[in-house]
Amino acid sequence: MTSIKIKRNRQTFVCDPRRVIAKYLNLGSGTREKGIIGRILSLPGADCKVLLDEVLEEFSGRHRAIREILLSNFTRVKHHLENPDELSPERRLLIGAYFTHEYSVESTALFNPSIVPHVDQSGLPSGSLRFIMSLRAIGEGHVSSIVFRSGVINRENHILMDPLSHFLEMPRVELNPVYDVHTFLLKLKEMGVLNEPSQAIFNKLPKRFHYRQLMECIKKEKALHSKDLSFTETARIIEWIAQSNYEETFREESLLSERVIFPVSRDESKGIEDARFVKFTDDDGEVIYFATYTAYNGNSILPMLIETRDFISFRMCTLNGKAAIGKGMALFPRKINGKYTIISRQDGENLFIMQSDNLHFWDEKELLKVPEETWELLLVGNCGSPIETEHGWILLTHGVGPMRKYCIGVVLLDLDDPSKIIGRLRDPLIFPREDEREGYVPNVVYTCGALIHNGELIIPYAVSDTSSGIATVKLENLIQGMVRSEIPRGISPLL
């Protein structure tokens, strides 16, 4: 194993089943919903008030806005009522309570972290950095979501975590974002459904349109093509694409650790997996945070992208193009030679590098790395976005070896041409220690992103798909421990 000294921090991140969200209880049957509502309406008014008071007393301490949650879920079933506005406030809330259930977001696991500098760096002592850490949380049914932590790395590189709120909350979901006709048509062409039915729909839309405009246009065209099966199928695909692109917004007053990004679209119904966040700086200096993730519906996966500037509002978009396939895509933190650049793994075994003029479309790929060492002969993948240093791009990788043991490795890419590997560690940087081998998936260490601060690489990493920790390594030692004569020796690390 590597002789490079790795320091494992004392901080650990473990799942907490007490952190719950209140979700809509989807019973999947209009007939059943009507029957339940009928039974609730038959309750005497006094009984209704007593029951509601019991619910509020029992659950108000577990959710910041329990009344708003119950009322929101009432609105999802009120279409079964002839005169819903005539119901008393108590009766509406009680109906909402019957169609609400708690879900423990991280009851099973909390792992695969990534880390980026915080949006707000104000008020810190010199040499300190405030950060945001994302983690993949797993609850009942193996459904994955994204949760957040925050903290400060001080000038001595001690990590101080912010207090963790015991509350969690869901964002407001907006299924009416603005779409671009040209981008939408490119996606339809890629999927082989750029045909007469789709042209008939988009010819009637403005260049930029909203979801509701699209649905209204589809409805009108359906009336004209009610017996056309090709139109029905095309309309279904268009609606599916539109619903895969949405926006979420949290209350500004909510704490970062209270925000959970839970699956919304059908494509991610079984999980939002392994978000790799990166602080991206555009050519004009504008900063936006992106995260690539994998949407999973129980049968297939879809590469997706998150965009945010403040970690309050998030936009979810599909990644498109013939090369936008597979898991584990990771975006470079800036354009290279005027193009967006991504590390990916389309074939399940090897690492590729891709470049594109359009962040949302990826058609060309180039082989970057194949399994070479004994600890990675099954497959190699990336462990987050490449990190820029004066020596080159540091790319953390994961390799899978005998007994399906996962280890974290490192390669160094050329700054100007990251398709060239100019250095690598022969041995894993991080491997499962004896006390890290047991868990939901044994013998695994994994990360979705790291950062550099005060000359050290800060690596939050998962332990056997169950919990997470943090490891640090001096950048200078890491660079000098790599093989290849092209790597400069004896120069100070980038601070």
Side-chain angles (χ1 to χ4, degrees):
M1 294 299 176
T2 181
S3 60
I4 298 173
K5 184 177 181 181
I6 300 292
K7 178 182 177 182
R8 283 169 163 85
N9 214 280
R10 291 185 177 181
Q11 277 92 352
T12 56
F13 306 91
V14 296
C15 51
D16 185 348
R18 297 171 300 177
R19 285 165 50 84
V20 295
I21 55 176
K23 292 178 73 259
Y24 171 65
L25 180 60
N26 187 352
L27 299 175
S29 168
T31 301
R32 186 180 177 193
E33 290 175 345
K34 287 180 181 179
I36 293 169
I37 291 173
R39 293 193 287 272
I40 299 170
L41 293 178
S42 69
L43 293 173
D47 291 354
C48 174
K49 185 179 185 310
V50 170
L51 185 53
L52 177 62
D53 287 344
E54 290 176 356
V55 170
L56 295 178
E57 181 179 358
E58 185 176 1
F59 290 94
S60 291
R62 297 166 67 88
H63 306 279
R64 287 199 185 278
I66 187 64
R67 288 178 177 271
E68 288 84 348
I69 294 170
L70 301 185
L71 187 58
S72 174
N73 289 338
F74 164 74
T75 63
R76 300 185 64 164
V77 296
K78 71 176 185 179
H79 61 278
H80 294 304
L81 296 160
E82 291 186 7
N83 300 298
D85 295 337
E86 295 180 4
L87 291 181
S88 68
E90 291 79 15
R91 191 80 65 172
R92 295 180 202 176
L93 289 171
L94 187 59
I95 291 174
Y98 275 96
F99 289 93
T100 302
H101 72 112
E102 287 190 331
Y103 182 89
S104 180
V105 169
E106 53 187 61
S107 61
T108 303
L110 192 65
F111 63 116
N112 291 3
S114 74
I115 188 170
V116 290
H118 201 291
V119 178
D120 180 14
Q121 296 293 327
S122 63
L124 290 176
S126 175
S128 295
L129 176 76
R130 185 174 289 117
F131 65 86
I132 293 173
M133 184 186 299
S134 70
L135 298 112
R136 176 179 171 186
I138 290 186
E140 176 188 356
H142 195 79
V143 176
S144 302
S145 56
I146 302 172
V147 296
F148 298 100
R149 303 287 191 272
S150 61
V152 172
I153 310 172
N154 67 17
R155 62 187 304 168
E156 288 81 27
N157 275 11
H158 295 154
I159 299 170
L160 311 170
M161 299 302 300
D162 293 331
L164 177 64
S165 173
H166 71 275
F167 290 107
L168 280 177
E169 69 173 55
M170 299 275 280
R172 183 181 73 253
V173 178
E174 176 58 69
L175 285 174
N176 193 34
V178 177
Y179 300 94
D180 176 77
V181 166
H182 177 68
T183 302
F184 216 112
L185 291 178
L186 285 175
K187 180 64 175 177
L188 292 177
K189 182 179 180 181
E190 172 200 333
M191 298 181 68
V193 286
L194 186 57
N195 49 26
E196 287 188 17
S198 61
Q199 292 286 7
I201 293 169
F202 284 92
N203 284 343
K204 293 180 174 62
L205 288 167
K207 290 183 179 180
R208 294 179 66 79
F209 60 92
H210 289 275
Y211 178 80
R212 294 187 187 94
Q213 289 176 290
L214 176 63
M215 292 301 102
E216 289 169 3
C217 188
I218 290 176
K219 183 178 180 181
K220 290 178 181 178
E221 289 296 316
K222 273 184 177 178
L224 301 174
H225 304 84
S226 58
K227 297 181 179 180
D228 187 340
L229 295 179
S230 66
F231 181 89
T232 301
E233 177 61 15
T234 297
R236 184 192 67 80
I237 293 173
I238 290 173
E239 186 174 354
W240 166 70
I241 295 172
Q243 290 179 346
S244 298
N245 295 263
Y246 59 93
E247 295 176 359
E248 294 188 345
T249 303
F250 292 90
R251 296 180 307 114
E252 289 190 21
E253 58 269 28
S254 66
L255 300 176
L256 181 67
S257 66
E258 295 176 351
R259 301 168 194 163
V260 54
I261 298 178
F262 197 81
V264 170
S265 73
R266 284 177 290 180
D267 293 307
E268 59 193 30
S269 57
K270 287 297 183 180
I272 296 174
E273 299 185 353
D274 302 341
R276 290 160 161 83
F277 277 89
V278 62
K279 180 182 178 182
F280 184 89
T281 305
D282 212 339
D283 291 342
D284 60 2
E286 182 183 14
V287 171
I288 183 169
Y289 292 82
F290 292 112
T292 52
Y293 72 91
T294 303
Y296 179 56
N297 64 9
N299 296 303
S300 58
I301 61 172
L302 182 68
M304 296 285 292
L305 184 73
I306 298 174
E307 303 176 12
T308 183
R309 286 176 169 80
D310 53 14
F311 284 83
I312 297 173
S313 295
F314 299 83
R315 181 181 175 93
M316 281 66 173
C317 314
T318 53
L319 284 170
N320 314 293
K322 62 184 179 182
I325 58 176
K327 302 179 71 172
M329 301 176 77
L331 182 68
F332 280 68
R334 63 171 173 84
K335 290 180 182 178
I336 300 174
N337 301 319
K339 292 188 175 184
Y340 296 100
T341 307
I342 268 182
I343 300 293
S344 64
R345 190 184 70 203
Q346 282 92 346
D347 61 1
E349 287 188 355
N350 306 299
L351 275 177
F352 292 82
I353 188 166
M354 304 191 295
Q355 289 199 311
S356 175
D357 295 321
N358 188 324
L359 177 62
H360 301 281
F361 283 85
W362 302 87
D363 290 314
E364 305 297 331
K365 66 181 186 293
E366 180 181 352
L367 183 64
L368 177 67
K369 177 175 167 49
V370 300
E372 298 172 84
E373 306 296 340
T374 56
W375 54 272
E376 61 179 13
L377 289 184
L378 278 182
L379 63 87
V380 290
N382 80 73
C383 272
S385 293
I387 302 167
E388 187 171 6
T389 75
E390 61 181 324
H391 314 296
W393 296 98
I394 289 179
L395 174 64
L396 296 179
T397 66
H398 65 267
V400 184
M403 302 299 292
R404 196 174 174 263
K405 183 170 76 171
Y406 276 66
C407 298
I408 297 173
V410 185
V411 297
L412 192 69
L413 310 179
D414 185 83
L415 273 181
D416 299 320
D417 183 3
S419 66
K420 296 179 180 178
I421 296 178
I422 61 173
R424 63 188 174 93
L425 291 185
R426 295 292 304 271
D427 298 319
L429 179 66
I430 304 176
F431 58 91
R433 295 189 313 190
E434 190 61 33
D435 60 349
E436 296 173 333
R437 294 184 57 191
E438 313 302 337
Y440 193 51
V441 181
N443 306 305
V444 173
V445 289
Y446 195 94
T447 182
C448 286
L451 58 75
I452 292 173
H453 183 60
N454 291 336
E456 287 190 344
L457 186 61
I458 314 293
I459 311 169
Y461 70 100
V463 176
S464 294
D465 281 12
T466 300
S467 60
S468 298
I470 298 177
T472 61
V473 58
K474 289 189 178 297
L475 182 59
E476 184 174 23
N477 294 344
L478 179 62
I479 296 296
Q480 292 181 353
M482 294 187 184
V483 297
R484 292 290 296 272
S485 60
E486 293 91 337
I487 302 173
R489 300 273 181 170
I491 54 179
S492 61
L494 183 67
L495 298 180

